[in-house]
Amino acid sequence: MKDTYSVEEFLGHRDRCDREAEGLLDLDWDEHVDVPVRVRLLDRWLHEDGPGDLAVLTDMRTHQKDAGLTPDDLMKSGLFQVIDPESRVQRAPSDCRSVAVAEAASVVERVVLAGGGGPSPRVTLLAADLRETIIAEGQEAAIVQVVDPVTGSVVEGETHVVLSWRSWSSAVIRISVVPRQGGGELLDPACSFAACADGGRLPPEEHRLAEDSVRAICAGTILAALLECEGRAAFKVGWRPHGIEPGHHGDLAAVRAWWETTTWHDQYNDDHIDVYYDYGAGDWGGRHAFLLPDPEDDESDGNASWGRCLVLGDPAESTIGLWTLGDEMRPLGTAAFLAEIEAFRRACRDQATTGELSVFLLDELLSRPLESIGGPERRMVVWADADPDGAFWSTGEGTIDTYDDARRLLVVGPSEALYIVFRGEMGA
């Protein structure tokens, strides 16, 4: 029974890179990613919103139980072998100054916000959220002076902070704010996220989709935390070309035929149905386990819809009743779908612990992908685990239901498709 993801599985790393999982890749998508997801998105926003002369980078090493925050220990840990996987820049620690965790967090924030031109609102908000995350979870901290390992000279104009973590003290994390390097190969975003020492490279178009997917995953993970969802893995994002014949993305038969060939089709059973139901009633993980419905049972037993959970509904058929786990995905008109997104945006602003930041995160998770997939005209068809009124994230009171069964969203545009699972409590 699967109730979590490793970082490698969550990012789809094994789909594009044959490198064996290690370090962060082999850990669960849980509190280990609190810093990496924020740093990744902050780096991208800083590059887009500012002059683009600063990069924010991070790496993590586990199993450092007896190591301290000294130059020798950090060198042995591998944190400074390559500080930027894409440009292959290397540094070596030469001196460490111990500081309070709150000071280290403030140093990172201050350096990020000190870039020329002034930070954008979303950069300011996310930098503050990163600072609070470090303060909440960091145990010890040091500011590190580095040298160029080739020349041996001290490198100025860079900020490197290392921390040991309160909840898993055998891990050490590096956060670096350095001048952004130009050029470099298009490294698999999963490899650069996890700081693979020698990750896979991707062609430009494949890299664009993979990068945008990782950004959406990072945004969804932070948003899940701000909404106080159960666990970090509340949003699973897929984004890829679909290969449907041009001009036929609105053809139900064509989309259904394509849908049945995707890895998304069966993954819902593995990740959500099998988590919810168990052969044999009982308790697991503090939750009640339900008997898996038998598809051959008579319709009067209430299980007739079970065999339709992977079916894309027909727009010509009317939707009756509230959606429940096991129902088919229901078609949504574009207007109803966009209205639901706006309702979700308002609810995020009201319900999230940092409402203003949540709006920017939702833009990254949904608005940006939707514009890329459907264009300004939103040429797309949509299916979701939605109720008759089109709602697929809200309770009857209009708030976001963070404890609901895992609901799916499928958006198909002229050439690409977006698939998001909002996991709620189940399996998170």
Side-chain angles (χ1 to χ4, degrees):
M1 185 175 299
K2 186 180 185 64
D3 62 356
T4 188
Y5 291 101
S6 71
V7 171
E8 181 180 42
E9 291 172 304
F10 205 75
L11 294 177
H13 176 265
R14 64 180 60 179
D15 297 337
R16 299 183 300 269
C17 180
D18 58 6
R19 182 177 177 80
E20 290 294 326
E22 62 180 37
L24 180 61
L25 283 171
D26 207 25
L27 300 174
D28 287 338
W29 192 273
D30 51 23
E31 67 268 18
H32 295 97
V33 301
D34 284 347
V35 166
V37 294
R38 287 164 172 80
V39 168
R40 179 78 179 189
L41 200 53
L42 182 60
D43 176 71
R44 271 41 184 177
W45 286 358
L46 193 64
H47 181 54
E48 289 176 352
D49 299 354
D53 58 352
L54 286 180
V56 192
L57 309 166
T58 189
D59 194 4
M60 176 190 300
R61 288 293 184 272
T62 57
H63 309 300
Q64 306 292 317
K65 185 175 181 180
D66 299 322
L69 302 184
T70 68
D72 286 344
D73 289 330
L74 294 176
M75 197 64 190
K76 292 176 184 176
S77 73
L79 273 182
F80 286 86
Q81 288 179 340
V82 176
I83 64 164
D84 182 355
E86 294 182 0
S87 65
R88 312 295 298 163
V89 171
Q90 297 186 32
R91 294 290 181 260
S94 64
D95 186 56
C96 295
R97 177 171 64 88
S98 295
V99 297
V101 170
E103 181 180 344
S106 295
V107 165
V108 171
E109 180 186 34
R110 189 163 56 248
V111 174
V112 167
L113 300 183
S120 67
R122 64 177 184 173
V123 165
T124 301
L125 289 166
L126 187 52
D129 185 65
L130 174 61
R131 182 197 69 229
E132 293 301 318
T133 301
I134 294 171
I135 292 173
E137 301 188 17
Q139 183 173 15
E140 295 181 296
I143 296 176
V144 183
Q145 184 181 60
V146 298
V147 298
D148 184 327
V150 177
T151 65
S153 7
V154 173
V155 179
E156 304 291 349
E158 298 183 352
T159 299
H160 302 274
V161 168
V162 291
L163 303 110
S164 62
W165 230 230
R166 189 186 309 279
S167 54
W168 14 280
S169 56
S170 63
V172 289
I173 297 173
R174 170 183 55 77
I175 304 172
S176 301
V177 186
V178 300
R180 187 174 298 276
Q181 302 292 319
E185 296 183 80
L186 297 176
L187 189 67
D188 178 355
C191 293
S192 59
F193 177 91
C196 288
D198 187 20
R201 270 62 181 170
L202 298 177
E205 184 60 19
E206 188 176 348
H207 181 273
R208 177 186 69 82
L209 286 173
E211 172 63 29
D212 288 347
S213 179
V214 169
R215 285 177 59 150
I217 288 171
C218 290
T221 300
I222 304 168
L223 182 59
L226 298 184
L227 293 174
E228 299 182 336
C229 293
E230 186 79 11
R232 273 70 167 177
F235 293 92
K236 186 79 183 286
V237 179
W239 189 351
R240 64 181 61 163
H242 50 59
I244 298 171
E245 187 178 346
H248 287 259
H249 72 282
D251 182 332
L252 178 60
V255 176
R256 278 179 168 175
W258 160 79
W259 166 247
E260 291 175 0
T261 68
T262 67
T263 55
W264 300 335
H265 181 268
D266 293 329
Q267 195 66 35
Y268 185 69
N269 271 341
D270 298 339
D271 291 348
H272 306 292
I273 302 297
D274 290 346
V275 167
Y276 189 77
Y277 289 103
D278 190 18
Y279 286 96
D283 289 322
W284 54 272
R287 306 188 191 105
H288 184 67
F290 296 86
L291 283 171
L292 185 67
D294 184 348
E296 298 181 358
D297 281 354
D298 186 82
E299 290 190 13
S300 61
D301 292 334
N303 294 324
S305 67
W306 181 253
R308 296 181 60 80
C309 68
L310 301 180
V311 172
L312 301 181
D314 188 337
E317 298 175 358
S318 60
T319 300
I320 301 174
L322 298 177
W323 176 87
T324 59
L325 189 70
D327 285 351
E328 65 183 31
M329 275 200 284
R330 298 170 176 177
L332 289 180
T334 303
F337 171 57
L338 295 178
E340 172 68 1
I341 298 302
E342 286 309 307
F344 188 40
R345 187 186 308 278
R346 292 191 297 271
C348 283
R349 188 182 290 112
D350 295 339
Q351 192 170 330
T353 53
T354 308
E356 194 175 352
L357 175 58
S358 72
V359 173
F360 290 115
L361 296 170
L362 186 60
D363 286 341
E364 191 74 45
L365 176 66
L366 276 177
S367 300
R368 185 170 175 269
L370 291 177
E371 182 163 353
S372 177
I373 288 172
E377 305 85 5
R378 298 295 193 266
R379 293 178 297 147
M380 56 196 182
V381 287
V382 181
W383 283 266
D385 289 325
D387 298 324
D389 61 357
F392 50 93
W393 273 309
S394 61
T395 64
E397 292 74 34
T399 58
I400 297 169
D401 192 346
T402 59
Y403 297 98
D404 199 1
D405 299 324
R407 296 204 183 207
R408 299 160 291 174
L409 169 66
L410 176 67
V411 181
V412 182
S415 61
E416 299 170 5
L418 178 73
Y419 180 61
I420 297 179
V421 179
F422 176 54
R423 304 180 74 197
E425 182 185 28
M426 295 309 305

